[in-house]
Amino acid sequence: MTELSLIPDEVAARVGTEAARATGEVNRRDWQRWAVAVGDENPLWFDAEHARAHGYDDVICPPLYLQYAVLGVTPMSALRADGSSGAASGNLQFPDAPKRMAGGESTTFHLPAYHRDELTMVRVIDSIVEKHGRSGRFVLVTWRTTYTNQRDELVAEATTSMIARP
Amino acid sequence: MSEQVCFEDVAIGDVLPTLEVVVDETQMFLFSAATYNAHRIHYDKDWARDKEGYDNVLVQGPLQAALLARAVTDWVGASGRLVTFSVQNRATALPGETLLFGGTVTAVRGQGDGTGLVDLEIAGRRGETVLMPGTAIVSLPARAVIGAGA
């Protein structure tokens, strides 16, 4: 192989380090807007009586919404040319592999999250490797993420990956 | 409301009800808004075609994942719980396509605490094409527990 790596040295050096940390408030209206956009009208997300009848204190946040509760604000001038924001992933730059696609996610949910819970996300870069697939070379980045609430209880933990192609 | 499924009701090979969705651009817009996602590939057709080489804008991968999770949480009901959800983005989907979300039971094990854990193989598909394969673990109540309250 004489090809140069798609992974810049300064990016490779960040494996094992914290890529991002964010805190946000879980908000019922926001998760309900998300749920409606998914067409997911599960009464556990919408109907407090129903949720209480099934052992919860109140309506609960849909598990897959947790990752959005901690999103901060990105100035438009800080968006990449493709409009995406690297804020939640530590702004890893791959100049030779600019086309980005979500890879996969694996999340374990430990506790429900409620309206006005304060969630803290900590995301660490687990690995950055170059691979060769059917459609050519790509970079696979994997993060490990924890979500804890205001009582330092582990709400969820996730492994997430992203693919960047030339 | 449909009846609560209990882990004693479930056997390996059981198939979840399939969720069929045709995502349109309004749904994509709302999902990008709800997830604070300005990625052009989901709304800028010129960008998607000329810069990224796709035929049209792409349905968000996280929307496919959310639809797949919806198929699972609809099935487990209010006394069930999604424990682990793992998916890979394998292929892209375009607005207007008929997408199918569902799963199959691969293991069932009682926990001895009034619940059972069920392993699922799950997938988002377009016809025979698997767009998003994955696995999930769900917790379901025992029949004895539900019998008392429901």
Side-chain angles (χ1 to χ4, degrees), chain A residues 38-57:
Chain A
V38 178
D40 182 353
E41 293 171 16
N42 193 318
L44 288 177
W45 330 141
F46 290 93
D47 178 348
E49 287 297 307
H50 178 84
R52 290 190 189 108
H54 292 89
Y56 297 102
D57 297 335

mmCIF file of all heavy atoms in Angstrom, chain A residues 38-57:
data_model
loop_
_atom_site.group_PDB
_atom_site.id
_atom_site.type_symbol
_atom_site.label_atom_id
_atom_site.label_comp_id
_atom_site.label_asym_id
_atom_site.label_seq_id
_atom_site.Cartn_x
_atom_site.Cartn_y
_atom_site.Cartn_z
ATOM 1 N N VAL A 38 -41.654 11.361 14.192
ATOM 2 C CA VAL A 38 -41.434 9.934 13.946
ATOM 3 C C VAL A 38 -42.776 9.220 13.729
ATOM 4 O O VAL A 38 -42.818 8.071 13.312
ATOM 5 C CB VAL A 38 -40.654 9.312 15.144
ATOM 6 C CG1 VAL A 38 -40.441 7.824 14.974
ATOM 7 C CG2 VAL A 38 -39.304 10.013 15.328
ATOM 8 N N GLY A 39 -43.877 9.926 13.992
ATOM 9 C CA GLY A 39 -45.190 9.291 13.944
ATOM 10 C C GLY A 39 -45.383 8.357 15.125
ATOM 11 O O GLY A 39 -46.189 7.430 15.086
ATOM 12 N N ASP A 40 -44.638 8.596 16.198
ATOM 13 C CA ASP A 40 -44.630 7.704 17.357
ATOM 14 C C ASP A 40 -45.508 8.309 18.447
ATOM 15 O O ASP A 40 -45.063 9.151 19.217
ATOM 16 C CB ASP A 40 -43.185 7.534 17.842
ATOM 17 C CG ASP A 40 -43.069 6.577 19.019
ATOM 18 O OD1 ASP A 40 -44.109 6.141 19.547
ATOM 19 O OD2 ASP A 40 -41.924 6.271 19.395
ATOM 20 N N GLU A 41 -46.758 7.887 18.482
ATOM 21 C CA GLU A 41 -47.706 8.489 19.424
ATOM 22 C C GLU A 41 -47.917 7.615 20.642
ATOM 23 O O GLU A 41 -49.004 7.574 21.224
ATOM 24 C CB GLU A 41 -48.995 8.840 18.687
ATOM 25 C CG GLU A 41 -48.719 9.959 17.683
ATOM 26 C CD GLU A 41 -49.869 10.244 16.734
ATOM 27 O OE1 GLU A 41 -51.001 9.810 17.021
ATOM 28 O OE2 GLU A 41 -49.612 10.893 15.697
ATOM 29 N N ASN A 42 -46.864 6.927 21.048
ATOM 30 C CA ASN A 42 -46.901 6.096 22.255
ATOM 31 C C ASN A 42 -47.381 6.928 23.439
ATOM 32 O O ASN A 42 -46.789 7.953 23.757
ATOM 33 C CB ASN A 42 -45.486 5.561 22.518
ATOM 34 C CG ASN A 42 -45.458 4.455 23.539
ATOM 35 O OD1 ASN A 42 -46.135 4.524 24.557
ATOM 36 N ND2 ASN A 42 -44.667 3.430 23.275
ATOM 37 N N PRO A 43 -48.459 6.502 24.123
ATOM 38 C CA PRO A 43 -48.987 7.336 25.217
ATOM 39 C C PRO A 43 -48.011 7.508 26.386
ATOM 40 O O PRO A 43 -48.178 8.442 27.174
ATOM 41 C CB PRO A 43 -50.259 6.597 25.651
ATOM 42 C CG PRO A 43 -50.203 5.252 25.023
ATOM 43 C CD PRO A 43 -49.312 5.347 23.828
ATOM 44 N N LEU A 44 -46.983 6.670 26.494
ATOM 45 C CA LEU A 44 -45.997 6.879 27.571
ATOM 46 C C LEU A 44 -45.268 8.205 27.400
ATOM 47 O O LEU A 44 -44.793 8.795 28.361
ATOM 48 C CB LEU A 44 -44.959 5.748 27.593
ATOM 49 C CG LEU A 44 -45.419 4.377 28.088
ATOM 50 C CD1 LEU A 44 -44.280 3.381 27.967
ATOM 51 C CD2 LEU A 44 -45.934 4.433 29.523
ATOM 52 N N TRP A 45 -45.186 8.702 26.162
ATOM 53 C CA TRP A 45 -44.487 9.975 25.910
ATOM 54 C C TRP A 45 -45.438 11.163 26.063
ATOM 55 O O TRP A 45 -44.995 12.297 26.111
ATOM 56 C CB TRP A 45 -43.856 10.059 24.514
ATOM 57 C CG TRP A 45 -43.365 8.846 23.786
ATOM 58 C CD1 TRP A 45 -43.491 8.611 22.432
ATOM 59 C CD2 TRP A 45 -42.618 7.729 24.285
ATOM 60 N NE1 TRP A 45 -42.891 7.408 22.090
ATOM 61 C CE2 TRP A 45 -42.363 6.848 23.197
ATOM 62 C CE3 TRP A 45 -42.165 7.358 25.556
ATOM 63 C CZ2 TRP A 45 -41.657 5.641 23.321
ATOM 64 C CZ3 TRP A 45 -41.470 6.160 25.687
ATOM 65 C CH2 TRP A 45 -41.219 5.332 24.586
ATOM 66 N N PHE A 46 -46.764 10.900 26.063
ATOM 67 C CA PHE A 46 -47.739 11.986 25.948
ATOM 68 C C PHE A 46 -48.750 12.078 27.093
ATOM 69 O O PHE A 46 -49.291 13.147 27.333
ATOM 70 C CB PHE A 46 -48.537 11.830 24.629
ATOM 71 C CG PHE A 46 -47.740 12.107 23.391
ATOM 72 C CD1 PHE A 46 -47.093 11.083 22.718
ATOM 73 C CD2 PHE A 46 -47.621 13.398 22.899
ATOM 74 C CE1 PHE A 46 -46.353 11.334 21.572
ATOM 75 C CE2 PHE A 46 -46.891 13.655 21.752
ATOM 76 C CZ PHE A 46 -46.252 12.627 21.087
ATOM 77 N N ASP A 47 -49.038 10.960 27.720
ATOM 78 C CA ASP A 47 -50.204 10.894 28.609
ATOM 79 C C ASP A 47 -49.743 10.520 30.025
ATOM 80 O O ASP A 47 -49.413 9.361 30.298
ATOM 81 C CB ASP A 47 -51.174 9.840 28.034
ATOM 82 C CG ASP A 47 -52.416 9.641 28.886
ATOM 83 O OD1 ASP A 47 -52.458 10.132 30.038
ATOM 84 O OD2 ASP A 47 -53.336 8.961 28.408
ATOM 85 N N ALA A 48 -49.721 11.503 30.915
ATOM 86 C CA ALA A 48 -49.191 11.296 32.268
ATOM 87 C C ALA A 48 -49.999 10.240 33.036
ATOM 88 O O ALA A 48 -49.432 9.431 33.774
ATOM 89 C CB ALA A 48 -49.165 12.619 33.030
ATOM 90 N N GLU A 49 -51.320 10.253 32.838
ATOM 91 C CA GLU A 49 -52.161 9.258 33.528
ATOM 92 C C GLU A 49 -51.759 7.842 33.117
ATOM 93 O O GLU A 49 -51.621 6.944 33.947
ATOM 94 C CB GLU A 49 -53.637 9.479 33.156
ATOM 95 C CG GLU A 49 -54.259 10.700 33.807
ATOM 96 C CD GLU A 49 -54.281 10.578 35.323
ATOM 97 O OE1 GLU A 49 -54.796 9.544 35.808
ATOM 98 O OE2 GLU A 49 -53.756 11.482 35.993
ATOM 99 N N HIS A 50 -51.597 7.679 31.827
ATOM 100 C CA HIS A 50 -51.216 6.379 31.276
ATOM 101 C C HIS A 50 -49.844 5.963 31.822
ATOM 102 O O HIS A 50 -49.651 4.816 32.238
ATOM 103 C CB HIS A 50 -51.167 6.479 29.746
ATOM 104 C CG HIS A 50 -50.752 5.223 29.055
ATOM 105 N ND1 HIS A 50 -51.629 4.205 28.764
ATOM 106 C CD2 HIS A 50 -49.535 4.805 28.605
ATOM 107 C CE1 HIS A 50 -50.976 3.224 28.155
ATOM 108 N NE2 HIS A 50 -49.706 3.557 28.045
ATOM 109 N N ALA A 51 -48.906 6.900 31.845
ATOM 110 C CA ALA A 51 -47.556 6.583 32.329
ATOM 111 C C ALA A 51 -47.605 6.202 33.806
ATOM 112 O O ALA A 51 -46.978 5.226 34.227
ATOM 113 C CB ALA A 51 -46.622 7.770 32.093
ATOM 114 N N ARG A 52 -48.377 6.962 34.583
ATOM 115 C CA ARG A 52 -48.467 6.661 36.026
ATOM 116 C C ARG A 52 -49.107 5.310 36.264
ATOM 117 O O ARG A 52 -48.728 4.581 37.173
ATOM 118 C CB ARG A 52 -49.252 7.761 36.743
ATOM 119 C CG ARG A 52 -48.484 9.076 36.814
ATOM 120 C CD ARG A 52 -49.146 10.098 37.741
ATOM 121 N NE ARG A 52 -48.473 11.380 37.578
ATOM 122 C CZ ARG A 52 -49.009 12.440 36.962
ATOM 123 N NH1 ARG A 52 -50.243 12.383 36.491
ATOM 124 N NH2 ARG A 52 -48.312 13.547 36.837
ATOM 125 N N ALA A 53 -50.080 4.969 35.423
ATOM 126 C CA ALA A 53 -50.750 3.670 35.569
ATOM 127 C C ALA A 53 -49.802 2.514 35.274
ATOM 128 O O ALA A 53 -50.109 1.361 35.585
ATOM 129 C CB ALA A 53 -51.963 3.609 34.636
ATOM 130 N N HIS A 54 -48.659 2.826 34.663
ATOM 131 C CA HIS A 54 -47.692 1.779 34.339
ATOM 132 C C HIS A 54 -46.385 1.950 35.098
ATOM 133 O O HIS A 54 -45.316 1.534 34.644
ATOM 134 C CB HIS A 54 -47.477 1.721 32.831
ATOM 135 C CG HIS A 54 -48.700 1.235 32.118
ATOM 136 N ND1 HIS A 54 -49.693 2.083 31.684
ATOM 137 C CD2 HIS A 54 -49.132 -0.020 31.830
ATOM 138 C CE1 HIS A 54 -50.665 1.378 31.143
ATOM 139 N NE2 HIS A 54 -50.358 0.105 31.213
ATOM 140 N N GLY A 55 -46.464 2.596 36.256
ATOM 141 C CA GLY A 55 -45.334 2.579 37.172
ATOM 142 C C GLY A 55 -44.364 3.743 37.060
ATOM 143 O O GLY A 55 -43.382 3.801 37.793
ATOM 144 N N TYR A 56 -44.636 4.678 36.151
ATOM 145 C CA TYR A 56 -43.748 5.835 36.031
ATOM 146 C C TYR A 56 -44.294 7.000 36.847
ATOM 147 O O TYR A 56 -45.474 7.027 37.205
ATOM 148 C CB TYR A 56 -43.604 6.233 34.552
ATOM 149 C CG TYR A 56 -42.958 5.154 33.726
ATOM 150 C CD1 TYR A 56 -43.719 4.315 32.909
ATOM 151 C CD2 TYR A 56 -41.577 4.960 33.762
ATOM 152 C CE1 TYR A 56 -43.121 3.309 32.152
ATOM 153 C CE2 TYR A 56 -40.971 3.961 33.008
ATOM 154 C CZ TYR A 56 -41.748 3.144 32.206
ATOM 155 O OH TYR A 56 -41.162 2.152 31.468
ATOM 156 N N ASP A 57 -43.438 8.002 37.117
ATOM 157 C CA ASP A 57 -43.868 9.172 37.882
ATOM 158 C C ASP A 57 -44.650 10.163 37.031
ATOM 159 O O ASP A 57 -45.381 11.003 37.547
ATOM 160 C CB ASP A 57 -42.646 9.903 38.463
ATOM 161 C CG ASP A 57 -41.889 9.032 39.450
ATOM 162 O OD1 ASP A 57 -42.508 8.114 40.029
ATOM 163 O OD2 ASP A 57 -40.677 9.267 39.637
#
